[in-house]
């Protein structure tokens, strides 16, 4: 069987065999810098030509003596009998290498992807397996165009044509051998697949990165917090906005109530709950209230305001701050009236007119 140069390391020395051109080569000493070429007829001739005798390894070289041709005595006259076939030295041909013949294959007439077989007075070119042509021009066969071959590739793989061969390769984002299985790679399991403060989502053959809610930026390199409080209308009117990592909060100020997110914060009228001391005047303020003693009264307005013998006139009535139950009389009338225990004066108007904004009776 003819073949191109065969290179192998028998007994750890360099040895190569070129049957087409009719020679072999090997090293002749320890050095591998220079190799010696020999005719094929010196294979298995009982004499070591190579440094470690690779040319006499009959079993590995398949040297035989059964090239039985008339008058050859089982031998090749100008060549070597290998695997029951004569392989001629350069310049010879014929069944027993008995005819001088020019080896046209030495001039490399065939395509680079073809075998050249020397014959008597001629030669023959044949394309390598996986190629098609006449030997002088060989073209690679695209095996992936064959539906039967392409069907060998599993889902999520592709058929890749190679010189004289093909390969089933998993698609990007999948792993496997292409002919048995191709399974999805979960890229999100890999450290640093996405940047800080981002979310990684695996999808078949790929993955995506998105910023977490409340963050913005490039999710592949990192997301930064959004200050929602800079947005108009983030909270309701009069509400306090506080930015947090990835979000924000809305709260009504102290002294107000309502829906701080979607409604409004309204001031609480604390005076409705009578928070001041006895006899004091309560004034509601934004988010709070104040207590003061009326004019002529002294004391702690948040506890008690008092005023001894403080008298004012309301029409023909005399109002005293002494909270004792006793009869009160008109100066010009005889019918007695009863004075309540306590009367809280809220505000006095001018021009001798008393205006009571609120009275608290404690009978």
């Amino acid at each position: 069987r003819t073949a191109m140069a065969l290179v192998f390391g028998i007994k750890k020395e360099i040895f190569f065999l070129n049957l087409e051109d009719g020679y072999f080569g090997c090293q002749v000493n320890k050095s591998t810098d220079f190799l010696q070429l020999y005719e094929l007829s010196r294979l298995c001739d009982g004499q070591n030509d190579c440094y470690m005798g690779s040319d006499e390894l009959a079993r590995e070289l398949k040297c035989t003596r059964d090239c039985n041709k008339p008058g050859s005595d089982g031998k090749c006259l100008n060549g070597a009998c290998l695997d029951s076939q004569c392989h001629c030295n350069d310049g010879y041909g014929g069944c027993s290498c008995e005819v001088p013949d020019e080896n046209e294959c030495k001039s490399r007439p065939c395509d680079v992807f073809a075998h050249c077989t020397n014959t008597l007075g001629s030669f023959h070119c044949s394309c390598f397996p996986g190629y098609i042509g006449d030997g002088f021009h060989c073209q690679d066969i695209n095996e992936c165009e064959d539906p039967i071959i392409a069907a060998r590739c599993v889902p999520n793989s592709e058929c890749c044509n190679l010189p004289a061969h093909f390969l089933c390769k998993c698609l990007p984002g999948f792993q496997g051998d292409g002919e048995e299985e191709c399974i999805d790679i979960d890229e999100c399991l890999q450290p640093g697949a996405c940047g800080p403060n981002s979310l990684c989502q695996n999808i078949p053959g790929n993955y995506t990165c998105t910023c977490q809610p409340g963050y913005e930026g490039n999710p592949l390199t990192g997301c930064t917090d959004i200050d929602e409080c800079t947005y108009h209308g983030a909270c309701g009117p009069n509400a306090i906005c506080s930015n947090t990592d990835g979000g924000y909060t809305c709260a009504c100020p102290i002294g107000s109530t309502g829906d701080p997110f979607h409604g409004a914060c309204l001031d609480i009228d604390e005076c409705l709950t009578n928070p001041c001391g006895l006899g004091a005047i309560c004034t509601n303020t934004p988010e709070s209230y104040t207590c003061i003693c009326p004019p002529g009264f002294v004391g702690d307005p948040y506890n008690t305001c008092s005023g001894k013998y403080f008298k004012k006139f309301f029409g023909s009535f005399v109002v005293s701050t002494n909270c004792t139950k006793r009869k009160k009389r008109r100066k010009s009338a005889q019918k007695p009236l009863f004075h309540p225990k306590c009367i809280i004066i809220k505000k006095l108007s001018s021009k001798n007119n008393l205006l009571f904004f609120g009275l608290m009776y404690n009978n």
Side-chain angles (χ1 to χ4, degrees):
R1 185 169 65 93
T2 59
M4 290 191 68
L6 303 177
V7 181
F8 51 94
I10 301 175
K11 291 187 177 182
K12 297 183 179 179
E13 74 171 347
I14 297 178
F15 178 92
F16 63 91
L17 181 63
N18 191 326
L19 298 179
E20 290 184 350
D21 291 340
Y23 65 88
F24 69 92
C26 59
Q27 64 188 85
V28 295
N29 51 38
K30 289 184 179 180
S31 175
T32 59
D33 295 335
F34 299 96
L35 303 178
Q36 180 67 45
L37 300 182
Y38 298 98
E39 293 180 336
L40 293 180
S41 58
R42 301 185 68 165
L43 291 174
C44 303
D45 62 354
Q47 181 179 351
N48 290 343
D49 294 303
C50 297
Y51 173 59
M52 301 188 71
S54 296
D55 58 312
E56 298 300 319
L57 297 176
R59 182 172 63 85
E60 287 80 358
L61 295 172
K62 298 183 179 180
C63 293
T64 59
R65 293 184 178 274
D66 55 353
C67 292
N68 295 318
K69 304 298 179 182
S72 64
D73 195 20
K75 298 180 180 180
C76 296
L77 298 179
N78 297 288
C81 185
L82 304 178
D83 198 16
S84 304
Q85 182 177 346
C86 277
H87 295 275
C88 301
N89 296 335
D90 182 29
Y92 290 89
C95 295
S96 299
C97 302
E98 74 280 8
V99 181
D101 179 60
E102 180 183 356
N103 186 1
E104 293 86 355
C105 292
K106 289 197 303 181
S107 62
R108 302 290 187 268
C110 302
D111 188 90
V112 66
F113 297 113
H115 290 292
C116 181
T117 303
N118 185 52
T119 61
L120 284 175
S122 184
F123 66 96
H124 174 70
C125 296
S126 58
C127 294
F128 293 160
Y131 292 85
I132 189 172
D134 58 4
F136 295 97
H137 301 281
C138 296
Q139 183 179 357
D140 177 57
I141 299 174
N142 188 351
E143 292 86 357
C144 294
E145 294 179 350
D146 187 339
I148 298 177
I149 294 179
R152 293 171 56 178
C153 299
V154 298
N156 300 319
S157 69
E158 60 180 346
C159 181
C160 300
N161 183 56
L162 300 175
H165 194 52
F166 75 99
L167 174 69
C168 290
K169 180 182 178 182
C170 291
L171 296 174
F174 296 87
Q175 60 183 357
D177 60 4
E179 293 193 40
E180 294 294 333
E181 65 176 0
C182 286
I183 59 176
D184 178 55
I185 299 174
D186 190 350
E187 293 86 355
C188 294
L189 299 178
Q190 301 174 1
C194 297
N197 302 318
S198 61
L199 300 174
C200 182
Q201 182 179 4
N202 184 59
I203 58 178
N206 207 339
Y207 72 103
T208 60
C209 296
T210 56
C211 289
Q212 296 181 8
Y215 292 85
E216 64 181 357
N218 186 345
L220 295 176
T221 58
C223 301
T224 57
D225 178 58
I226 300 173
D227 188 355
E228 293 87 353
C229 294
T230 61
Y231 296 163
H232 177 72
C235 296
N238 303 322
I240 298 175
C241 181
S242 299
N243 186 57
T244 60
D245 289 338
Y248 70 103
T249 60
C250 297
C252 288
I254 297 175
S256 62
T257 185
D259 183 357
F261 285 93
H262 307 101
C265 294
L266 303 177
D267 181 57
I268 299 174
D269 188 355
E270 292 86 355
C271 294
L272 297 177
T273 60
N274 298 318
C276 299
L278 184 65
I281 298 174
C282 180
T283 302
N284 184 57
T285 62
E287 305 177 2
S288 186
Y289 67 97
T290 59
C291 296
I292 60 174
C293 290
F297 286 73
V298 296
D300 180 2
Y302 293 93
N303 291 313
T304 302
C305 294
S306 61
K308 190 175 182 180
Y309 303 114
F310 175 80
K311 296 182 180 180
K312 288 288 182 180
F313 290 94
F314 178 68
S316 60
F317 287 89
V318 177
V319 181
S320 174
T321 59
N322 293 329
C323 297
T324 56
K325 189 174 183 181
R326 57 191 178 86
K327 292 182 179 182
K328 309 291 286 184
R329 295 181 180 272
R330 294 178 184 266
K331 291 183 178 181
S332 60
Q334 300 297 322
K335 188 175 180 180
L337 296 175
F338 290 92
H339 187 278
K341 277 188 177 183
C342 294
I343 298 176
I344 304 301
I345 301 175
K346 292 294 183 180
K347 186 176 181 182
L348 300 176
S349 67
S350 61
K351 296 182 180 181
N352 296 326
N353 292 324
L354 287 172
L355 179 60
F356 284 74
F357 280 93
L359 299 178
M360 181 178 72
Y361 296 94
N362 188 8
N363 295 324

